[in-house]
Amino acid sequence: MAIAIQKKFLTVVAVLALVGCQASNNTATNGSASPSANIAPAVDPSVSDPDTLKVALLPDENASTIIKNNQGLEKYLEEKLGKDIELVVTTDYSSMIEAASNGRLELAYFGPLSYVLAKNKSNIEPFAALKKDGETTYKSVIIASVKSGVNSIEQAAGKTVAYGDQASTSSHLIPKSMIADKGLQPKKDYQEAFVGSHDAVALAVQNNNAQIGGLSKPIFESLIERKVIDSNKVKVLAESQPFPQYPWTMRSDLKPELKAKITSAFVELKDEEILKAFKADGFDAITDQDYDVVRDLGKILNLDFEKLN
C-alpha cells in the first residue's frame, strides 16, 4: 500500500532536511553556530504550537480511499483549530508507529494495540475514542469461507488463518486470543498469514486463500453493506467480547491551549458525513488506562510488544 502524503508535506520535509544540512555544514566549517542562531528568540522547547498539523489516519483499508473519505475532517479541523491540516496514511501500522515515535505526527488515529505499541516509544496521549451506539467499545469477528466447509473455530486446526497487520487489535490480537481459547496455537496447530488490512483479510477468506480470518466487526459489516464482500461466500463463526475503541492521540508536548481545542473539536464533532468515514456516531473522551485491557491480553498471548514494533 503506497504512502499517501500530500505534496505540501513532502516539500516541507525536503526543505527542513536541506536547512538542517546547511546548519550542520556551517557549524562544521566555522566551529560555531551561525550568528542568526545566537539572536533567535528564546522559546520553551517543551511546548509545540506548529502552524501545520500532520494528522495520521489508520491504514486499515486502501490508502487513497481513506484520504478521499476524510476530506471533510480535514476542512473541519482547519476551521476549528485555525491550522493547516495535512492528512497522512502510512504504508502500514509499523511505519505509523515509527512516525509517531519520531515526533513527525501531531495527531494520529490508532487501533488499540497499535496505540499501546506506539505509547511504549512515543510522547503521545489519547484524548478521544470512537463512539458507536453510545459505546466506546467494539468487537472483532472471526469469519470463514463457505467453500471451506469450516463451521467452528475449532476447525481452524490444519487450516490457514488470515490476520491483518501484526500491530492490529481487531484483525490480529483479538481473533488470535479467541482461537487460543480453543486450545489452538499458530504454527503448531494452524498456519497464520498476515495480509495487511481488514479488507484484505475478508477478501482472502472470500476467495478461500485462507479458510478463516479475523477482523473488525464494523469494518466487516461495512464491506458486506458496500458489496465488497459477498455474504454468500463468507460467514461469521464468532464475535469477541467488547474492547476499547480506536483512540485519537496527540503529541504530549503540544501547547496546552491547542490540546484543549483539539479535544473539544473531536468531542463536539456531530457532522454525519465526516463521522461516516469512521463508521461512528461521534467521539468521547478517553484515557490511557482504558487500554490496560489490551496490554493484559497481550500478556496472555505472550506477545513481545517490542518485537511487534
Side-chain angles (χ1 to χ4, degrees), residues 153 163 174-186 190 300-301:
I153 294 178
Y163 296 124
I174 297 175
K176 178 173 282 186
S177 70
M178 295 169 69
I179 295 175
D181 283 343
K182 302 300 182 180
L184 302 176
Q185 296 298 324
Y190 67 89
I300 292 172
L301 289 173

Side-chain angles (χ1 to χ4, degrees), residues 1 60-62 65 141-148 160-164 171 193-216 219-224 226-235:
M1 197 181 292
D60 55 6
E61 293 186 80
N62 180 272
T65 299
V141 290
I142 291 182
I143 62 174
S145 164
V146 171
K147 186 177 181 180
S148 71
T160 297
V161 178
Y163 296 124
S171 67
F194 291 97
V195 296
S197 62
H198 295 250
D199 50 348
V201 169
L203 287 169
V205 174
Q206 175 174 270
N207 297 330
N208 202 36
N209 294 326
Q211 292 70 56
I212 298 172
L215 70 160
S216 160
I219 292 178
F220 176 68
E221 291 176 339
S222 174
L223 293 171
I224 293 292
R226 291 185 282 135
K227 300 188 185 304
V228 175
I229 296 299
D230 187 342
S231 60
N232 295 313
K233 295 182 179 180
V234 295
K235 56 186 174 184

Side-chain angles (χ1 to χ4, degrees), residues 245-280:
Q245 270 284 9
Y246 291 35
W248 273 102
T249 69
M250 66 175 82
R251 279 173 48 186
S252 295
D253 64 349
L254 292 178
K255 187 177 179 180
E257 293 83 355
L258 176 58
K259 291 166 74 172
K261 289 176 68 174
I262 291 171
T263 300
S264 295
F266 279 88
V267 172
E268 296 170 3
L269 177 56
K270 305 299 180 185
D271 190 310
E272 292 183 0
E273 280 302 308
I274 296 176
L275 292 168
K276 184 178 180 181
F278 297 92
K279 308 168 187 67

Side-chain angles (χ1 to χ4, degrees), residues 58-282:
L58 196 66
D60 55 6
E61 293 186 80
N62 180 272
S64 60
T65 299
I66 293 172
I67 291 290
K68 179 181 178 181
N69 291 344
N70 284 280
Q71 293 303 301
L73 175 67
E74 180 181 4
K75 294 178 181 178
Y76 171 79
L77 291 178
E78 286 181 339
E79 293 173 0
K80 284 287 185 178
L81 304 178
K83 303 280 188 180
D84 288 333
I85 300 296
E86 294 181 358
L87 299 183
V88 178
V89 179
T90 59
T91 52
D92 55 26
Y93 288 52
S94 295
S95 54
M96 183 174 171
I97 292 170
E98 191 65 23
S101 69
N102 291 328
R104 298 201 304 268
L105 305 173
E106 278 66 56
L107 301 179
Y109 183 56
F110 284 105
L113 175 57
S114 56
Y115 160 68
V116 169
L117 297 175
K119 179 67 174 176
N120 283 346
K121 57 192 301 187
S122 309
N123 186 28
I124 60 172
E125 59 192 64
F127 64 88
L130 186 152
K131 180 171 64 176
K132 180 69 175 177
D133 299 326
E135 301 289 339
T136 53
T137 59
Y138 77 117
K139 298 179 179 181
S140 286
V141 290
I142 291 182
I143 62 174
S145 164
V146 171
K147 186 177 181 180
S148 71
V150 171
N151 295 305
S152 68
I153 294 178
E154 288 85 349
Q155 291 180 319
K159 304 296 193 300
T160 297
V161 178
Y163 296 124
D165 192 290
Q166 284 195 343
S168 172
T169 315
S170 52
S171 67
H172 179 211
L173 185 64
I174 297 175
K176 178 173 282 186
S177 70
M178 295 169 69
I179 295 175
D181 283 343
K182 302 300 182 180
L184 302 176
Q185 296 298 324
K187 299 180 181 178
K188 177 184 176 182
D189 301 303
Y190 67 89
Q191 295 299 312
E192 60 182 0
F194 291 97
V195 296
S197 62
H198 295 250
D199 50 348
V201 169
L203 287 169
V205 174
Q206 175 174 270
N207 297 330
N208 202 36
N209 294 326
Q211 292 70 56
I212 298 172
L215 70 160
S216 160
K217 180 182 177 182
I219 292 178
F220 176 68
E221 291 176 339
S222 174
L223 293 171
I224 293 292
E225 181 182 346
R226 291 185 282 135
K227 300 188 185 304
V228 175
I229 296 299
D230 187 342
S231 60
N232 295 313
K233 295 182 179 180
V234 295
K235 56 186 174 184
V236 174
L237 297 181
E239 293 184 3
S240 73
Q241 68 184 63
F243 283 84
Q245 270 284 9
Y246 291 35
W248 273 102
T249 69
M250 66 175 82
R251 279 173 48 186
S252 295
D253 64 349
L254 292 178
K255 187 177 179 180
E257 293 83 355
L258 176 58
K259 291 166 74 172
K261 289 176 68 174
I262 291 171
T263 300
S264 295
F266 279 88
V267 172
E268 296 170 3
L269 177 56
K270 305 299 180 185
D271 190 310
E272 292 183 0
E273 280 302 308
I274 296 176
L275 292 168
K276 184 178 180 181
F278 297 92
K279 308 168 187 67
D281 302 327

Side-chain angles (χ1 to χ4, degrees), residues 1-34:
M1 197 181 292
I3 298 179
I5 307 179
Q6 294 184 354
K7 293 182 179 178
K8 182 178 176 183
F9 174 52
L10 291 174
T11 301
V12 171
V13 172
V15 171
L16 288 177
L18 178 60
V19 171
C21 289
Q22 291 174 336
S24 177
N25 289 337
N26 288 338
T27 300
T29 302
N30 302 325
S32 61
S34 64

